[in-house]
Amino acid sequence: MSAPGEAREPGEPLLELRGLTRHFRLKEGLTGQRTAIALDGIDLKLRRGAAYGLVGESGSGKTTVARLILRLLQPTSGQILFAGQDITGLKGEALMKLRERIQIVFQDPHASLNPRKTILFSVAEPLVVHRRLKGPALRHRVEELLEIVGLPGGFLFRYPHELSGGQKQRACIARAVALNPELLVLDEPTSALDVSVQAQVLEFLHDLKARLDLTYLFISHDLSVVRYLCDRVAVMYMGKVVEEGTVDAVFESPSHPYTESLLSAVPLPQARQPAGRIVLSGDVPSATAIPPGCPFHPRCPRKIGPVCETAVPRLEPRLRDRAVACHLYGSET
Amino acid sequence: MAGPAPLLELRDYSLSIDSFDGRLQVLDGVSFSIAPGEVVGIVGETGCGKSITVKSVIGLVPSPPAKVESGTVSFDGRDITAAGESAIRRLRGREVAMIFQDPMTYLNPLFTVGQQLSDVIRAKEALDPAAAPRTRAERRAKALALLGQVHLPDPERQFESYPHQLSGGMRQRVLIAMALAGSPRLLIADEPTTALDVTIQAQILDLVKELVETLGMAVIIISHDLGVVAALCRRILVMYAGTIVEDAGTADLFENPRHPYTRGLLAAIPRLDGSVTSLSGIPGSIPNFIEPPQGCRFHPRCAQAGARCGRERPRNLEVAPDHWTACHLFDGGVE
Ligand SMILES: Nc1ncnc2c1ncn2[C@@H]1O[C@H](COP(=O)(O)OP(=O)(O)O)[C@@H](O)[C@H]1O
Ligand SMILES: Nc1ncnc2c1ncn2[C@@H]1O[C@H](COP(=O)(O)OP(=O)(O)O)[C@@H](O)[C@H]1O
Ligand code: SF4
Ligand SMILES: [Mg+2]
Ligand SMILES: [Mg+2]
């Protein structure tokens, strides 16, 4: 399969997803069964040093991507390559080693910090488990990490409930970068925070990436946040990537009708709203009943005809800076 | 303030709530008014007192533990500050309706949409002795008309559905239909789209806009999202720690924000068009309400605060036509 963006992105990608698919079996009643297609054959490449955004509405499969990359979940089919190595089937010691190189930060910092343990304990834990650090060396490294995330020494012996939401998220980030990972997956890391606090965390994440040489996979339903922090973006709809490209290209001139409507639906914090807003009708379909053909066709304002209802559009390169999965562009690639 | 006689008016309204840790001075001298048919937004960080303000006005905060420390609330010229339970209930049932972030909390999972909507319609009839009671068929017709008015797809079928069979957006439509059952003059929407995806949020915002135009009711939209209030409201109130710090027309607020808190919020928002390349947050967090800061409640977080700010409570001043703010910077300086 030709991965989009290949020709334009020299060098080996840090992370590559090939045809990644995940189904969930759902029990229905006593004997019945349905299949939820959470992820349906996505291909992505993250260059080292990228801040890669993954956007889409709830249920589009973003968290499933994160869990698959972290190997918290097995794919139904497809491959995950990390630094050129197929990590899809890694087990045991090799998987432990991989976990040092890929870390995750979740939306809810409460759930990620043990309420009965100090911040020192939570941040130290990965260092103890993976590096067998202890004593003054351990304490020193934790202090250094808290310094990096902007939580001074006074926080060492505090408990999560004594920290604000933003401070807790910083502690989670300190824990995630403790082992010097190469890839940081951030799943809606600022969605639970007020904008005033989110701004601080975003600024900090921006600096942290350069300082620690990180690559980000930044998952968010908030398009403005992705515009601010990321350089490339993939837009997901119902388990598929419908558009992929540089953030500037995708946000300034979206090609896919879904991207276009999604961007147009965001109400803007400014004196006047732009004219000609697209309001999509209907709801997002269920993952157990994905429409045939283009999954977006029942809601698409630019549907071109029966081809949209029957043929699945493939993600194909378009223009110089993006790839799109839509029959509108079928003949002009 | 000029304009028609207000529908809802709060004057110097202060509210405390007794809690386990002590008495919370939750609202401090809140004043604003809403004209008939006006659409007003209330914004501010989580915990600023947005919900408490509107809930206490319509009697949804039990007293005790809540206590009105000062000020008045009037609705359509009547002072309702000390109105009894039943008077408030009547007001809430007929003239004011409220919808919330999470419709599931206000829908009974065991009854169909149709049953619940019909119940609401019957309850509204009971509050209006002048109206002749409807038959069951009439109530059903009324319920279907309401579901149509909120553009619930396939209302005949959804009438028989249970809440869990509906999507989040559809449930919010049902809640709006219930709110409309009593033909309210004021609709209060507390974070009505916060739990919804952006494309569904756009649908609900469109619906609210349409209802305002066709029914002419006044609306208060509470949101932490400045985009949501910008899209719907003509006027915006900015709330900080139980005080209204700025009150201005929407265009004026975005183009000419005055209060340092408002400016701080605006500087914190990443922009969809990429026009902002560096964000600044607001240091610190909302104060505790047991011993809130003296003077201006925002002063511990304010980059422009001076000695006077910790001492003296700023007055609410009209800094431009219909643009009010409470900050010493606009009233003789901070020193
Ligand atoms: N453990 C699971 N069991 C069943 N269905 C699941 C599970 N995890 C995710 N799904 C389904 O997969 C789809 C994608 O979910 P998710 O990846 O969480 O989306 P997002 O993070 O974009 O909101 C949804 O329809 C969701 O209900
Ligand atoms: N029932 C209650 N009892 C005690 N304190 C409350 C109650 N409801 C709200 N508060 C407090 O009042 C303050 C304002 O809350 P709220 O109005 O819900 O804020 P917002 O809606 O702006 O997020 C908060 O500090 C909250 O803890
Ligand atoms: S393939 Fe057809 S239905 Fe799908 S987005 Fe493109 S035009 Fe719309
Ligand atoms: Mg998710
Ligand atoms: Mg609230």
Side-chain angles (χ1 to χ4, degrees), chain A residues 92-124:
Chain A
E93 185 72 7
L95 186 57
M96 273 286 271
K97 277 265 166 282
L98 176 76
R99 294 238 160 97
E100 296 184 18
R101 304 173 70 186
I102 309 179
Q103 288 284 324
I104 185 161
V105 175
F106 297 100
Q107 168 173 349
D108 183 8
H110 311 265
S112 325
L113 295 172
N114 186 331
R116 281 194 291 270
K117 299 290 185 187
T118 60
I119 297 304
L120 170 62
F121 179 94
S122 289
V123 176

Short mmCIF file of all heavy atoms in Angstrom, two decimals, chain A residues 92-124:
data_model
loop_
_atom_site.label_atom_id
_atom_site.label_comp_id
_atom_site.label_asym_id
_atom_site.label_seq_id
_atom_site.Cartn_x
_atom_site.Cartn_y
_atom_site.Cartn_z
N GLY A 92 7.09 -9.76 26.69
CA GLY A 92 8.06 -9.92 27.77
C GLY A 92 9.08 -8.80 27.89
O GLY A 92 8.73 -7.62 27.89
N GLU A 93 10.34 -9.20 27.97
CA GLU A 93 11.44 -8.26 28.18
C GLU A 93 11.48 -7.17 27.10
O GLU A 93 11.64 -5.98 27.38
CB GLU A 93 12.77 -9.05 28.19
CG GLU A 93 13.99 -8.24 28.51
CD GLU A 93 14.06 -7.83 29.99
OE1 GLU A 93 13.21 -8.29 30.79
OE2 GLU A 93 14.96 -7.04 30.33
N ALA A 94 11.30 -7.60 25.84
CA ALA A 94 11.36 -6.66 24.72
C ALA A 94 10.26 -5.61 24.84
O ALA A 94 10.47 -4.43 24.56
CB ALA A 94 11.22 -7.42 23.40
N LEU A 95 9.08 -6.04 25.31
CA LEU A 95 7.97 -5.11 25.47
C LEU A 95 8.26 -4.13 26.61
O LEU A 95 8.00 -2.93 26.49
CB LEU A 95 6.67 -5.89 25.75
CG LEU A 95 5.39 -5.07 25.82
CD1 LEU A 95 5.15 -4.28 24.55
CD2 LEU A 95 4.19 -5.99 26.09
N MET A 96 8.86 -4.64 27.69
CA MET A 96 9.28 -3.77 28.80
C MET A 96 10.22 -2.68 28.30
O MET A 96 10.07 -1.51 28.63
CB MET A 96 10.02 -4.59 29.87
CG MET A 96 9.14 -5.24 30.92
SD MET A 96 8.47 -4.04 32.10
CE MET A 96 9.77 -4.04 33.34
N LYS A 97 11.18 -3.11 27.50
CA LYS A 97 12.17 -2.15 26.96
C LYS A 97 11.49 -1.11 26.07
O LYS A 97 11.81 0.07 26.12
CB LYS A 97 13.23 -2.90 26.14
CG LYS A 97 14.34 -3.49 26.99
CD LYS A 97 15.54 -2.52 27.04
CE LYS A 97 16.56 -2.87 28.12
NZ LYS A 97 16.17 -2.46 29.47
N LEU A 98 10.52 -1.57 25.28
CA LEU A 98 9.80 -0.66 24.39
C LEU A 98 9.06 0.40 25.20
O LEU A 98 8.99 1.56 24.83
CB LEU A 98 8.81 -1.45 23.52
CG LEU A 98 7.94 -0.58 22.61
CD1 LEU A 98 8.75 -0.09 21.41
CD2 LEU A 98 6.70 -1.31 22.14
N ARG A 99 8.50 -0.03 26.32
CA ARG A 99 7.69 0.89 27.14
C ARG A 99 8.52 2.03 27.70
O ARG A 99 7.96 3.05 28.10
CB ARG A 99 7.03 0.10 28.29
CG ARG A 99 6.00 -0.90 27.80
CD ARG A 99 4.62 -0.66 28.40
NE ARG A 99 3.58 -1.28 27.59
CZ ARG A 99 3.04 -2.47 27.84
NH1 ARG A 99 3.43 -3.15 28.91
NH2 ARG A 99 2.11 -2.96 27.06
N GLU A 100 9.85 1.87 27.72
CA GLU A 100 10.69 2.99 28.14
C GLU A 100 10.75 4.05 27.06
O GLU A 100 11.01 5.21 27.33
CB GLU A 100 12.12 2.52 28.44
CG GLU A 100 12.18 1.57 29.60
CD GLU A 100 13.61 1.18 29.96
OE1 GLU A 100 14.55 1.90 29.55
OE2 GLU A 100 13.79 0.16 30.64
N ARG A 101 10.52 3.62 25.82
CA ARG A 101 10.70 4.55 24.70
C ARG A 101 9.41 5.21 24.26
O ARG A 101 9.43 6.18 23.51
CB ARG A 101 11.34 3.79 23.52
CG ARG A 101 12.67 3.13 23.92
CD ARG A 101 13.19 2.24 22.82
NE ARG A 101 13.64 3.03 21.68
CZ ARG A 101 14.03 2.49 20.52
NH1 ARG A 101 14.02 1.18 20.35
NH2 ARG A 101 14.43 3.26 19.54
N ILE A 102 8.28 4.63 24.66
CA ILE A 102 6.98 5.21 24.31
C ILE A 102 6.18 5.40 25.60
O ILE A 102 5.97 4.45 26.34
CB ILE A 102 6.17 4.29 23.37
CG1 ILE A 102 7.01 3.87 22.17
CG2 ILE A 102 4.89 4.98 22.93
CD1 ILE A 102 6.28 2.93 21.21
N GLN A 103 5.77 6.60 25.86
CA GLN A 103 5.01 6.86 27.09
C GLN A 103 3.72 7.59 26.75
O GLN A 103 3.59 8.18 25.68
CB GLN A 103 5.84 7.71 28.05
CG GLN A 103 6.98 6.94 28.70
CD GLN A 103 6.50 6.00 29.80
OE1 GLN A 103 5.57 6.33 30.54
NE2 GLN A 103 7.13 4.84 29.91
N ILE A 104 2.78 7.55 27.69
CA ILE A 104 1.48 8.18 27.42
C ILE A 104 1.06 9.08 28.57
O ILE A 104 1.38 8.82 29.74
CB ILE A 104 0.40 7.10 27.12
CG1 ILE A 104 -0.92 7.77 26.71
CG2 ILE A 104 0.19 6.18 28.32
CD1 ILE A 104 -1.88 6.86 25.99
N VAL A 105 0.36 10.14 28.22
CA VAL A 105 -0.27 11.03 29.20
C VAL A 105 -1.77 11.04 28.88
O VAL A 105 -2.15 11.25 27.73
CB VAL A 105 0.29 12.46 29.10
CG1 VAL A 105 -0.45 13.40 30.04
CG2 VAL A 105 1.79 12.47 29.39
N PHE A 106 -2.59 10.79 29.89
CA PHE A 106 -4.03 10.71 29.67
C PHE A 106 -4.73 12.03 30.01
O PHE A 106 -4.16 12.92 30.63
CB PHE A 106 -4.64 9.61 30.54
CG PHE A 106 -4.15 8.24 30.21
CD1 PHE A 106 -3.17 7.63 30.99
CD2 PHE A 106 -4.66 7.55 29.13
CE1 PHE A 106 -2.71 6.35 30.70
CE2 PHE A 106 -4.21 6.28 28.83
CZ PHE A 106 -3.23 5.68 29.62
N GLN A 107 -6.01 12.06 29.64
CA GLN A 107 -6.82 13.25 29.91
C GLN A 107 -6.98 13.52 31.40
O GLN A 107 -6.88 14.65 31.85
CB GLN A 107 -8.22 13.06 29.29
CG GLN A 107 -9.20 14.12 29.76
CD GLN A 107 -10.53 14.03 29.01
OE1 GLN A 107 -10.64 13.33 28.01
NE2 GLN A 107 -11.51 14.75 29.48
N ASP A 108 -7.23 12.45 32.14
CA ASP A 108 -7.60 12.63 33.54
C ASP A 108 -6.42 12.39 34.46
O ASP A 108 -6.08 11.25 34.75
CB ASP A 108 -8.73 11.66 33.88
CG ASP A 108 -9.21 11.86 35.31
OD1 ASP A 108 -8.76 12.85 35.94
OD2 ASP A 108 -10.01 11.04 35.78
N PRO A 109 -5.78 13.47 34.93
CA PRO A 109 -4.59 13.27 35.76
C PRO A 109 -4.91 12.59 37.10
O PRO A 109 -4.05 11.94 37.67
CB PRO A 109 -4.05 14.68 35.98
CG PRO A 109 -5.16 15.61 35.67
CD PRO A 109 -6.09 14.89 34.74
N HIS A 110 -6.17 12.70 37.56
CA HIS A 110 -6.53 12.05 38.82
C HIS A 110 -6.36 10.55 38.71
O HIS A 110 -5.82 9.89 39.57
CB HIS A 110 -7.98 12.31 39.20
CG HIS A 110 -8.37 13.73 39.13
ND1 HIS A 110 -8.34 14.56 40.22
CD2 HIS A 110 -8.77 14.49 38.09
CE1 HIS A 110 -8.72 15.77 39.84
NE2 HIS A 110 -8.98 15.74 38.55
N ALA A 111 -6.84 10.02 37.58
CA ALA A 111 -6.82 8.57 37.40
C ALA A 111 -5.40 8.05 37.26
O ALA A 111 -5.14 6.88 37.52
CB ALA A 111 -7.65 8.19 36.18
N SER A 112 -4.46 8.92 36.85
CA SER A 112 -3.10 8.43 36.62
C SER A 112 -2.21 8.54 37.84
O SER A 112 -1.11 8.01 37.85
CB SER A 112 -2.45 9.19 35.46
OG SER A 112 -3.39 9.53 34.49
N LEU A 113 -2.64 9.28 38.86
CA LEU A 113 -1.81 9.41 40.06
C LEU A 113 -2.49 8.68 41.22
O LEU A 113 -3.69 8.83 41.44
CB LEU A 113 -1.65 10.89 40.43
CG LEU A 113 -0.90 11.78 39.44
CD1 LEU A 113 -1.01 13.23 39.85
CD2 LEU A 113 0.56 11.36 39.33
N ASN A 114 -1.73 7.90 41.94
CA ASN A 114 -2.27 7.20 43.09
C ASN A 114 -2.59 8.20 44.21
O ASN A 114 -1.70 8.91 44.68
CB ASN A 114 -1.23 6.18 43.57
CG ASN A 114 -1.78 5.29 44.68
OD1 ASN A 114 -2.65 5.71 45.44
ND2 ASN A 114 -1.27 4.08 44.75
N PRO A 115 -3.88 8.28 44.61
CA PRO A 115 -4.27 9.31 45.58
C PRO A 115 -3.60 9.15 46.94
O PRO A 115 -3.50 10.11 47.70
CB PRO A 115 -5.79 9.13 45.70
CG PRO A 115 -6.07 7.76 45.21
CD PRO A 115 -5.00 7.44 44.19
N ARG A 116 -3.12 7.93 47.25
CA ARG A 116 -2.53 7.71 48.57
C ARG A 116 -1.01 7.82 48.57
O ARG A 116 -0.37 7.56 49.57
CB ARG A 116 -2.96 6.34 49.10
CG ARG A 116 -4.38 6.36 49.67
CD ARG A 116 -4.65 5.11 50.49
NE ARG A 116 -4.72 3.95 49.60
CZ ARG A 116 -5.85 3.53 49.05
NH1 ARG A 116 -6.98 4.16 49.28
NH2 ARG A 116 -5.86 2.48 48.26
N LYS A 117 -0.44 8.17 47.41
CA LYS A 117 1.01 8.26 47.34
C LYS A 117 1.44 9.70 47.05
O LYS A 117 0.75 10.44 46.37
CB LYS A 117 1.54 7.35 46.21
CG LYS A 117 1.21 5.87 46.42
CD LYS A 117 2.01 5.28 47.56
CE LYS A 117 1.75 3.77 47.66
NZ LYS A 117 2.38 3.21 48.85
N THR A 118 2.63 10.03 47.54
CA THR A 118 3.14 11.38 47.28
C THR A 118 3.53 11.52 45.81
O THR A 118 3.69 10.53 45.09
CB THR A 118 4.40 11.66 48.12
OG1 THR A 118 5.39 10.70 47.76
CG2 THR A 118 4.12 11.58 49.61
N ILE A 119 3.72 12.78 45.40
CA ILE A 119 4.17 13.04 44.04
C ILE A 119 5.55 12.41 43.83
O ILE A 119 5.82 11.82 42.78
CB ILE A 119 4.23 14.57 43.80
CG1 ILE A 119 2.82 15.16 43.93
CG2 ILE A 119 4.83 14.91 42.46
CD1 ILE A 119 1.77 14.55 43.03
N LEU A 120 6.39 12.46 44.84
CA LEU A 120 7.70 11.83 44.76
C LEU A 120 7.55 10.36 44.36
O LEU A 120 8.19 9.88 43.43
CB LEU A 120 8.45 11.94 46.09
CG LEU A 120 9.73 11.11 46.25
CD1 LEU A 120 10.79 11.53 45.23
CD2 LEU A 120 10.31 11.22 47.66
N PHE A 121 6.65 9.66 45.05
CA PHE A 121 6.46 8.24 44.78
C PHE A 121 6.00 8.01 43.34
O PHE A 121 6.55 7.18 42.62
CB PHE A 121 5.44 7.65 45.76
CG PHE A 121 5.19 6.18 45.54
CD1 PHE A 121 5.90 5.22 46.24
CD2 PHE A 121 4.25 5.77 44.59
CE1 PHE A 121 5.67 3.87 46.01
CE2 PHE A 121 4.03 4.43 44.35
CZ PHE A 121 4.74 3.47 45.07
N SER A 122 4.99 8.78 42.91
CA SER A 122 4.42 8.56 41.58
C SER A 122 5.43 8.82 40.47
O SER A 122 5.49 8.08 39.49
CB SER A 122 3.19 9.44 41.36
OG SER A 122 2.13 8.97 42.16
N VAL A 123 6.20 9.89 40.62
CA VAL A 123 7.16 10.21 39.57
C VAL A 123 8.34 9.23 39.60
O VAL A 123 8.92 8.88 38.58
CB VAL A 123 7.64 11.68 39.70
CG1 VAL A 123 8.71 12.00 38.67
CG2 VAL A 123 6.45 12.64 39.53
N ALA A 124 8.68 8.74 40.82
CA ALA A 124 9.83 7.84 40.97
C ALA A 124 9.53 6.44 40.46
O ALA A 124 10.44 5.72 40.03
CB ALA A 124 10.24 7.77 42.45
#
